[in-house]
Amino acid sequence: MAHSADQAPVPRRFARSGPLTGTIRVPGDKSISHRALMLSALCVGQSRISGLLEGEDVLATAAAMRAMGAQIERGADGIWTVHGVGVGGLMQPAQALDMGNSGTSTRLLMGLVASHPITAMFTGDASLSRRPMARVTDPLGEMGAEFNASPGGTLPLMVRGISPAVPISYRLPVASAQVKSAILLAALNTPGTTTVIEPVATRDHSEKMLKGFGADLTVETDADGVRHIHVTGPCDLTAQDIEVPGDPSSAAFFIVAALIVPGSDLTIENVGMNVTRTGIITVLEQMGGQIERLNARTVGGEPVADLRVRASALSGITVDPAIVPSMVDEFPVFFIAAAMASGTTVTSGLDELRVKESDRLATMARGLEAIGVDVEEREDGLVITGSGGASLRGGGPVATLLDHRIAMSFAVAGLASEQGVNVDDTAPIATSFPDFLNLLDRSTGAA
């Protein structure tokens, strides 16, 4: 199941490669995959999901929904079918729900459980068990759910749901799609109208999908640009056929690789282009990256396009902190692009990166230093002076601290390095992108 600290590490050296060429597809979007399983499990009837990301995080969500009564099966054709229990129909799980490394599964499922009359114990791996949960348990507690957490508000954590729960109006103190989504999911089985007030817009997959499944959801934007999201429950959800677009967070590793490896011309098909997720493309284009959107279309309410990426001379920029929520997961690989650019790249407003799978600011700063990059770590960001397109020195080993995105980012750095880059553990990559290493070898001609 989930990769954990007690599994043997799988080190690997990533060496300089030829150009990335041809056409690839990245796995299904992780955020949408989680939500597709959860919402399908709350419908009456059968939903079908194609393109589901089959990484460990999403499989943890599937296992949890099965434990609470949904029937979930994967067909030989790769299409998943879900027979749901209906809103209000979640059953008491017989044992603890093991979330592995998945913060999204944990926080969203706490929202689901909070408004059902069941009790669930959430456990996770060493990395997940360090991550803060109070940001979710505080608002859900206002709705009437009870929580017994480990010291510091972390996993293992027991949730006692309540039905009927109490509708609340909650202003997000920190931009977080997970907190917003947890409250909206709790609202599905709560009589009355629950409101989430979102001062800074975050990814809106939950709102789009809840509407698609038939929830009574409205969004208003006030004069100050603040979003007010209302759900009136209890809701009946209608089973759907869902096609999951490719994950822009996974595509980001190949976008950066193609930009920094000379001679590359790579097409990445079927990438989700939801504007709340494409900040990485915006900033790479600001740096001079050639990224062409082809065949733009809408799939299941989500915008999708094929991306043609060509090797480009990048220039350092100062990243506007306002764009952070739309690329929060892509900063590790963005820092690799910055390391190859001309001049200095300055980032700020990245406090959230300190509470991800690892402290991503500190972990990336140490790793960049280990491969010869000029980097300054500040309280809320990194300042990177790039190589001007010259190959990175390389070396290592880089410590990934069980963080899948750190491992993939330094794999990309190795492709544009003199000595190659030694990554201490590639096993965590399976949490979000099981086929990453094969796809990387194939697109660089190493396979």
Short mmCIF file of all heavy atoms in Angstrom, two decimals, residues 63-69 90-97 113 118-122 159:
data_model
loop_
_atom_site.label_atom_id
_atom_site.label_comp_id
_atom_site.label_asym_id
_atom_site.label_seq_id
_atom_site.Cartn_x
_atom_site.Cartn_y
_atom_site.Cartn_z
N ALA A 63 -9.84 2.89 -0.95
CA ALA A 63 -9.93 1.92 0.14
C ALA A 63 -10.81 2.45 1.27
O ALA A 63 -11.62 1.72 1.86
CB ALA A 63 -8.54 1.58 0.67
N ALA A 64 -10.69 3.74 1.58
CA ALA A 64 -11.49 4.33 2.65
C ALA A 64 -12.97 4.35 2.29
O ALA A 64 -13.83 4.06 3.13
CB ALA A 64 -10.99 5.75 2.94
N MET A 65 -13.29 4.69 1.03
CA MET A 65 -14.71 4.72 0.63
C MET A 65 -15.30 3.31 0.63
O MET A 65 -16.46 3.11 0.98
CB MET A 65 -14.87 5.39 -0.75
CG MET A 65 -14.44 6.85 -0.82
SD MET A 65 -14.93 7.92 0.55
CE MET A 65 -16.71 7.88 0.45
N ARG A 66 -14.48 2.31 0.26
CA ARG A 66 -14.94 0.92 0.35
C ARG A 66 -15.24 0.56 1.80
O ARG A 66 -16.24 -0.08 2.12
CB ARG A 66 -13.86 -0.03 -0.16
CG ARG A 66 -13.82 -0.20 -1.66
CD ARG A 66 -12.94 -1.40 -2.05
NE ARG A 66 -12.60 -1.29 -3.46
CZ ARG A 66 -11.40 -0.95 -3.92
NH1 ARG A 66 -10.40 -0.69 -3.07
NH2 ARG A 66 -11.18 -0.87 -5.20
N ALA A 67 -14.34 0.99 2.70
CA ALA A 67 -14.50 0.67 4.12
C ALA A 67 -15.77 1.29 4.69
O ALA A 67 -16.31 0.82 5.69
CB ALA A 67 -13.28 1.15 4.91
N MET A 68 -16.28 2.34 4.03
CA MET A 68 -17.50 3.01 4.50
C MET A 68 -18.72 2.64 3.66
O MET A 68 -19.73 3.33 3.69
CB MET A 68 -17.27 4.52 4.57
CG MET A 68 -16.28 4.89 5.67
SD MET A 68 -16.14 6.66 6.00
CE MET A 68 -15.07 7.19 4.67
N GLY A 69 -18.60 1.53 2.88
CA GLY A 69 -19.79 0.96 2.27
C GLY A 69 -19.92 1.05 0.77
O GLY A 69 -20.78 0.37 0.19
N LEU A 90 -23.12 6.70 4.59
CA LEU A 90 -21.81 6.14 4.92
C LEU A 90 -21.90 5.23 6.13
O LEU A 90 -22.58 5.54 7.11
CB LEU A 90 -20.79 7.25 5.20
CG LEU A 90 -20.35 8.11 4.01
CD1 LEU A 90 -19.35 9.16 4.47
CD2 LEU A 90 -19.77 7.27 2.89
N MET A 91 -21.20 4.10 6.08
CA MET A 91 -21.23 3.13 7.16
C MET A 91 -19.99 3.26 8.03
O MET A 91 -18.94 3.73 7.59
CB MET A 91 -21.33 1.72 6.58
CG MET A 91 -22.71 1.44 5.98
SD MET A 91 -22.68 0.11 4.77
CE MET A 91 -22.04 -1.22 5.76
N GLN A 92 -20.14 2.79 9.27
CA GLN A 92 -19.03 2.78 10.23
C GLN A 92 -17.91 1.88 9.70
O GLN A 92 -18.13 0.70 9.47
CB GLN A 92 -19.58 2.21 11.54
CG GLN A 92 -18.54 1.94 12.59
CD GLN A 92 -18.21 3.19 13.38
OE1 GLN A 92 -19.04 4.05 13.61
NE2 GLN A 92 -16.98 3.29 13.78
N PRO A 93 -16.68 2.41 9.49
CA PRO A 93 -15.60 1.53 9.03
C PRO A 93 -15.19 0.56 10.15
O PRO A 93 -15.18 0.93 11.32
CB PRO A 93 -14.46 2.49 8.69
CG PRO A 93 -14.78 3.77 9.38
CD PRO A 93 -16.26 3.81 9.62
N ALA A 94 -14.86 -0.67 9.75
CA ALA A 94 -14.56 -1.71 10.74
C ALA A 94 -13.18 -1.53 11.36
O ALA A 94 -12.92 -1.99 12.47
CB ALA A 94 -14.65 -3.09 10.08
N GLN A 95 -12.27 -0.87 10.63
CA GLN A 95 -10.94 -0.63 11.21
C GLN A 95 -10.45 0.76 10.82
O GLN A 95 -11.13 1.47 10.11
CB GLN A 95 -9.93 -1.71 10.76
CG GLN A 95 -9.69 -1.79 9.27
CD GLN A 95 -10.63 -2.75 8.57
OE1 GLN A 95 -11.00 -3.77 9.11
NE2 GLN A 95 -11.04 -2.40 7.36
N ALA A 96 -9.27 1.12 11.34
CA ALA A 96 -8.71 2.44 11.06
C ALA A 96 -8.54 2.64 9.55
O ALA A 96 -8.26 1.69 8.81
CB ALA A 96 -7.37 2.59 11.77
N LEU A 97 -8.71 3.88 9.10
CA LEU A 97 -8.52 4.24 7.69
C LEU A 97 -7.07 4.66 7.51
O LEU A 97 -6.65 5.70 8.03
CB LEU A 97 -9.48 5.37 7.31
CG LEU A 97 -10.98 5.08 7.52
CD1 LEU A 97 -11.80 6.33 7.21
CD2 LEU A 97 -11.44 3.90 6.66
N VAL A 113 -16.95 12.42 6.95
CA VAL A 113 -17.32 11.71 8.18
C VAL A 113 -18.01 12.66 9.16
O VAL A 113 -18.92 12.26 9.89
CB VAL A 113 -16.07 11.06 8.82
CG1 VAL A 113 -16.38 10.52 10.21
CG2 VAL A 113 -15.53 9.95 7.92
N ILE A 118 -21.14 8.44 12.36
CA ILE A 118 -20.17 7.33 12.44
C ILE A 118 -18.88 7.84 13.07
O ILE A 118 -18.67 9.06 13.16
CB ILE A 118 -19.87 6.72 11.04
CG1 ILE A 118 -19.29 7.78 10.09
CG2 ILE A 118 -21.12 6.09 10.43
CD1 ILE A 118 -18.86 7.22 8.73
N THR A 119 -18.05 6.92 13.50
CA THR A 119 -16.75 7.26 14.08
C THR A 119 -15.67 6.63 13.21
O THR A 119 -15.80 5.46 12.81
CB THR A 119 -16.65 6.72 15.52
OG1 THR A 119 -17.68 7.35 16.29
CG2 THR A 119 -15.31 7.04 16.13
N ALA A 120 -14.61 7.37 12.90
CA ALA A 120 -13.53 6.83 12.08
C ALA A 120 -12.19 7.24 12.66
O ALA A 120 -12.02 8.38 13.13
CB ALA A 120 -13.65 7.31 10.63
N MET A 121 -11.25 6.31 12.63
CA MET A 121 -9.87 6.57 13.07
C MET A 121 -9.01 6.74 11.83
O MET A 121 -9.01 5.87 10.95
CB MET A 121 -9.38 5.38 13.90
CG MET A 121 -7.96 5.55 14.39
SD MET A 121 -7.88 6.89 15.58
CE MET A 121 -6.72 6.26 16.72
N PHE A 122 -8.29 7.85 11.72
CA PHE A 122 -7.41 8.12 10.59
C PHE A 122 -5.96 7.90 11.00
O PHE A 122 -5.51 8.47 12.01
CB PHE A 122 -7.58 9.55 10.09
CG PHE A 122 -8.87 9.80 9.37
CD1 PHE A 122 -10.03 10.14 10.07
CD2 PHE A 122 -8.95 9.69 7.99
CE1 PHE A 122 -11.23 10.38 9.41
CE2 PHE A 122 -10.15 9.92 7.32
CZ PHE A 122 -11.29 10.26 8.03
N VAL A 159 -12.29 10.76 14.53
CA VAL A 159 -13.39 11.68 14.21
C VAL A 159 -14.70 11.03 14.63
O VAL A 159 -14.98 9.89 14.23
CB VAL A 159 -13.47 11.96 12.69
CG1 VAL A 159 -14.54 13.00 12.42
CG2 VAL A 159 -12.13 12.41 12.14
#
